[in-house]
Amino acid sequence: MEPSTQQTSPAIPIAIISGFAMIAIAIFFTSGKSSSVNPVAADQNNEAAVVGSEPRPVDDSDYIRGNPNAPILLVEYSDYDCPFCKQFHTTMNQIMDEYGITGRVAWVYRQFPVAQLHPNAPKISKAALCVGDLGGNDAFWTFSDLIFSDRDIDSLTNVTKLPQYAEAAGIAQEDYISCMSSDEMEKRVEQDVADGFNAGARGTPYSVLIVGNQQAVISGAQPYDVVKGIIDNLIEQLDGEFDAASAETTEIPVNEVGVPILE
């Protein structure tokens, strides 16, 4: 696919993290309300694309790790068979181990199976939603963690184990089979995919950071140190502790509606 066409913002104060990636962490969010811009496709290396509109609001149908009322929400659109998503899942579990207990950060997981690359991904997404519907939020996350942890980075999920994972998450086999026999959860997977597409997702993982009515995109499977730097900076800004005057100055890319792209 064609890479996204990005504009460049005026120079703004930032702090720089060194390591695997260099990234601006003094993020000055813009609200990005316009839905008239058609999102441009991302590269097929699972780097994120641009935001075309906002993700749908988080509600009771979502599966959330952390405080649902946290001031910092990370909404991830993910594919269970995507190797980059496995990496980012590990990263986000580390982030939640550190910040989830404080109530400042919440992680919302939404389905974005890319069937063209991973033919079994829609079935896995359906299974995850069945487990969540039958067992609740904790069962959903237990199931999801098992999917990612029980395969190698370059391997696909062994779908014959899905009933086993469901049982480990506390779901009775007959209930799981009954749910998988219906098409209700397929429709919910399709709705998640539509929501993600409308929000700009063209690859996975695609993550939108939301603080109040403002947002920015985390591009692809950024490593722990980068995501931690972003979260730390946002918390400093929320607490009024960020010193913009002492930060360096550089330019960061934004999309057509002015939303920063964090790469």
Side-chain angles (χ1 to χ4, degrees), residues 176-193:
Y176 171 79
I177 293 170
S178 177
C179 181
M180 291 295 287
S181 298
S182 74
D183 62 0
E184 179 182 356
M185 296 306 155
E186 289 177 9
K187 294 176 182 177
R188 286 182 54 183
V189 172
E190 291 169 359
Q191 184 60 57
D192 264 10
V193 172

Side-chain angles (χ1 to χ4, degrees), residues 12-18 22-28 229 233 236 242-244 246-250 252:
I12 60 173
I14 64 163
I16 298 294
I17 296 179
S18 330
M22 297 286 288
I23 186 169
I25 65 170
I27 306 150
F28 288 77
N233 178 262
E236 287 181 2
F242 178 70
D243 183 7
S246 66
E248 299 179 34
T249 298
T250 192
I252 60 173

Side-chain angles (χ1 to χ4, degrees), residues 29-235:
F29 287 95
T30 54
S31 54
K33 295 290 184 182
S34 172
S35 59
S36 62
V37 177
N38 292 322
V40 182
D43 293 327
Q44 288 185 347
N45 64 358
N46 287 8
E47 291 286 321
V50 299
V51 170
S53 63
E54 295 183 356
R56 67 169 175 81
V58 176
D59 59 30
D60 291 342
S61 69
D62 280 303
Y63 295 104
I64 305 173
R65 182 162 270 172
N67 172 20
N69 298 313
I72 301 171
L73 288 176
L74 186 142
V75 179
E76 179 192 3
Y77 292 89
S78 184
D79 176 325
Y80 285 107
D81 267 351
C82 160
F84 300 95
C85 297
K86 175 178 168 69
Q87 292 175 329
F88 195 65
H89 197 82
T90 299
T91 292
M92 283 305 301
N93 273 324
Q94 289 179 270
I95 290 293
M96 295 310 298
D97 285 344
E98 183 170 354
Y99 296 96
I101 58 174
T102 69
R104 307 297 295 275
V105 179
W107 175 20
V108 180
Y109 190 103
R110 291 179 179 168
Q111 308 299 325
F112 201 83
V114 184
Q116 299 93 325
L117 298 177
H118 311 124
N120 287 328
K123 179 178 181 178
I124 304 167
S125 287
K126 178 181 178 179
L129 293 183
C130 276
V131 168
D133 190 63
L134 293 166
N137 193 68
D138 289 346
F140 171 87
W141 285 102
T142 297
F143 182 88
S144 297
D145 289 342
L146 285 169
I147 292 290
F148 283 116
S149 66
D150 203 31
R151 69 171 176 85
D152 293 332
I153 188 71
D154 293 322
S155 299
L156 300 179
T157 302
N158 182 351
V159 293
T160 66
K161 289 187 175 182
L162 294 179
Q164 175 184 326
Y165 297 147
E167 190 170 24
I171 307 304
Q173 286 296 297
E174 57 270 25
D175 293 337
Y176 171 79
I177 293 170
S178 177
C179 181
M180 291 295 287
S181 298
S182 74
D183 62 0
E184 179 182 356
M185 296 306 155
E186 289 177 9
K187 294 176 182 177
R188 286 182 54 183
V189 172
E190 291 169 359
Q191 184 60 57
D192 264 10
V193 172
D195 289 336
F197 190 89
N198 290 337
R202 299 295 181 272
T204 54
Y206 182 86
S207 304
V208 182
L209 270 172
I210 301 173
V211 181
N213 65 350
Q214 300 176 323
Q215 64 174 313
V217 171
I218 291 183
S219 178
Q222 295 293 341
Y224 169 77
D225 286 346
V226 170
V227 180
K228 174 180 169 59
I230 293 169
I231 297 298
D232 284 342
N233 178 262
L234 288 175
I235 290 174

